Amino acid sequence: MKLLAMIPARSGSKGVKNKNIKSIGQYNLVQRAYRFIKENLPADEIIVSTDYSYNEFSNFLPKLQYRKRPFELSKDDSSIVEVCIDAVNFLYSKNKKFTDLLLVQPTSPFRESKDINLAISLYKGKNLKSLASVSKVIQHPYEVVNGIGNNWEPIISWHGHKNRQKLDSYYFINGCFYIVNLKEFLEKKTFVNKETFMFLTRKKYCIDIDDDEDFDLAKKLLE
């Protein structure tokens, strides 16, 4: 197994402007993700795919681990799958080859090395092709509705709360990390399919920074 760890960092966030390079304590989110991988995980290579200038990361990131993301992959609707494929092809053009990809998103900074290292061990031991981190749901699916006011419907058919099921079997893909076999990933162009192994992480390590409130909470917890 030859593992490539990738950190995607787009500049055009609408929820928090330039959130990936805003400092929380001593480090910004990209630097936190990079340091975490460097110090805790058995990655053979790290690549940061971004439309930010290299100058934003030159104090910690070697130039060889920087991929200037093409403009067409830096839009609001750009696919993270295509971003990863671009970074992999960029490294392949440098004659660097890998068997598997670990995606670590900087906007999910509450991660623990023992979680990801256990996930990597399971991935290798079970000869998996795809693994995604998940957390237990907070809201029960029976309590989630599509719509507002008088125009709504439940996402799962129900009769009031009479058939309310326990939360124990419900999880959500939290985006903290993914591991995929590169050959299959390049063929299927997806991180998750029916064969994906869902790896349970602890709920408090799955905060995804999407707006100012999330950022302020992360700042209080990390500083």
Side-chain angles (χ1 to χ4, degrees):
M1 179 179 184
K2 192 161 185 176
L3 186 64
L4 169 65
M6 177 174 158
I7 302 169
R10 191 173 70 89
S11 65
S13 171
K14 291 182 177 178
V16 183
K17 186 176 180 180
N18 287 321
K19 63 183 175 182
N20 283 309
I21 59 171
K22 285 185 69 173
S23 293
I24 297 179
Q26 298 182 59
Y27 312 110
N28 62 40
L29 291 177
V30 173
Q31 189 169 8
R32 283 180 178 278
Y34 183 84
R35 286 172 59 87
F36 175 82
I37 296 170
K38 190 81 172 174
E39 296 172 5
N40 297 287
L41 303 180
D44 296 285
E45 180 66 274
I46 305 173
I47 187 77
V48 174
S49 171
T50 182
D51 55 334
Y52 282 110
S53 164
Y54 175 69
N55 291 336
E56 296 287 354
F57 312 112
S58 59
N59 62 322
F60 69 90
L61 182 70
K63 188 66 179 289
L64 292 175
Q65 294 179 334
Y66 168 82
R67 168 56 175 165
K68 178 66 174 179
R69 191 184 301 184
F71 172 76
E72 61 271 18
L73 295 179
S74 303
K75 302 175 183 178
D76 290 342
D77 59 351
S78 294
S79 164
I80 188 63
V81 169
E82 294 301 326
V83 168
C84 289
I85 291 173
D86 169 76
V88 170
N89 287 335
F90 168 73
L91 290 172
Y92 280 3
S93 72
K94 306 293 184 183
N95 294 318
K96 295 184 176 183
K97 303 294 182 181
F98 306 92
T99 59
D100 301 271
L101 172 69
L102 167 67
L103 178 66
V104 175
Q105 305 199 80
T107 52
S108 297
F110 296 92
R111 59 181 76 89
E112 283 205 333
S113 58
K114 62 183 179 182
D115 273 346
I116 305 186
N117 278 312
L118 177 56
I120 292 171
S121 295
L122 282 170
Y123 179 86
K124 292 169 63 177
K126 291 180 177 290
N127 196 29
L128 300 174
K129 301 299 182 184
S130 174
L131 179 149
S133 62
V134 300
S135 301
K136 285 190 175 182
V137 297
I138 300 173
Q139 290 83 14
H140 194 285
Y142 273 61
E143 296 172 339
V144 179
V145 298
N146 178 25
I148 199 68
N150 292 323
N151 184 23
W152 66 272
E153 60 183 4
I155 65 167
I156 296 179
S157 296
W158 57 281
H159 303 285
H161 286 277
K162 293 180 180 178
N163 294 329
R164 190 181 190 279
Q165 300 176 17
K166 293 182 179 180
L167 285 169
D168 294 349
S169 62
Y170 291 97
Y171 304 86
F172 73 97
I173 299 172
N174 58 36
C176 188
F177 61 89
Y178 299 88
I179 311 173
V180 291
N181 173 270
L182 266 177
K183 182 179 179 181
E184 291 213 357
F185 176 71
L186 293 173
E187 290 175 357
K188 297 180 178 179
K189 296 181 171 55
T190 182
F191 283 101
V192 178
N193 54 53
K194 290 184 178 180
E195 287 73 48
T196 299
F197 184 94
M198 298 298 173
F199 180 85
L200 180 62
T201 57
R202 290 185 293 173
K203 185 163 55 179
K204 70 177 181 178
Y205 291 107
C206 67
I207 296 175
D208 181 42
I209 299 176
D210 190 52
D211 55 29
D212 287 323
E213 187 176 345
D214 295 333
F215 189 86
D216 289 341
L217 175 60
K219 196 169 183 178
K220 289 176 182 177
L221 294 172
L222 288 170
E223 288 184 340

